């Protein structure tokens, strides 16, 4: 009987090393992707769940889907609502009784509850919800 040729194990070793490297690279990437999906899904649930920490009706002025001309409101401006609670139409006026003073303008959000933390002296807020989220903003207001 002729002698048996030795088995070449280098091919197996290379395949094992390649599989191990792929596994070590793929696992953290999958874990990171799963974490990102979980965070996005969790953030989406937070936005749809109404806040029960404070009564919302007395603090909120209604949302406006269409921007009014010249509505670049800034901190310190005083406003009146010439519309209804469902369709607010804010207008700048001199500060005085029965006006709302803008304490803070929070850009790129529609979360009116942020006024509670960022401007605790606010008595109302106005949420401007634009079709382009970058142009959304919240005004934290104080009744004069």
């Amino acid at each position: 009987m002729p002698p048996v040729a030795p088995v070449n194990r280098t091919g197996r070793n290379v395949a094992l090393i390649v599989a191990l490297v792929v596994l070590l690279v793929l696992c953290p990437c999958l874990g990171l992707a799963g974490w990102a999906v979980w965070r996005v899904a969790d953030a989406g649930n937070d936005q749809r769940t109404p806040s029960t920490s404070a009564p919302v009706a007395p603090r909120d002025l209604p949302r406006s889907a269409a921007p009014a001309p010249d509505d670049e409101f800034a901190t310190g401006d005083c406003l009146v609502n010439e519309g209804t609670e469902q369709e607010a139409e804010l207008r700048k006026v001199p500060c005085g009784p029965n006006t709302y003073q803008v304490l803070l303008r929070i850009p790129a959000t529609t979360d009116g509850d942020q006024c509670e933390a960022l401007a605790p002296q606010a008595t109302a807020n106005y949420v401007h919800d634009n079709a382009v989220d970058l142009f959304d903003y919240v005004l934290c207001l104080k009744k004069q």
Side-chain angles (χ1 to χ4, degrees), residues 11-23:
R12 281 175 128 184
N13 290 342
V14 170
L16 184 61
I17 291 172
V18 168
L20 185 61
V21 167
V22 167
L23 186 65

Side-chain angles (χ1 to χ4, degrees), residues 49-143:
T49 306
S51 173
T52 57
S53 62
V56 177
R59 292 189 53 88
D60 288 344
L61 289 178
R63 296 174 183 236
S64 172
D70 301 326
D71 71 345
E72 290 300 318
F73 305 120
T75 301
D77 288 345
C78 287
L79 315 170
V80 292
N81 181 7
E82 293 182 330
T84 64
E85 287 196 21
Q86 289 75 27
E87 296 288 328
E89 294 179 26
L90 299 181
R91 181 174 59 95
K92 287 184 195 180
V93 295
C95 292
N98 297 321
T99 63
Y100 289 94
Q101 183 178 18
V102 179
L103 299 177
L104 181 65
R105 179 184 171 124
I106 308 170
T109 185
T110 58
D111 183 9
D113 292 337
Q114 289 185 9
C115 287
E116 291 178 22
L118 299 174
Q121 64 275 27
T123 57
N125 64 60
Y126 170 79
V127 178
H128 177 79
D129 191 4
N130 194 301
V132 178
D133 289 342
L134 182 62
F135 299 121
D136 292 345
Y137 62 86
V138 172
L139 298 177
C140 301
L141 307 169
K142 181 177 181 182
K143 180 88 173 187

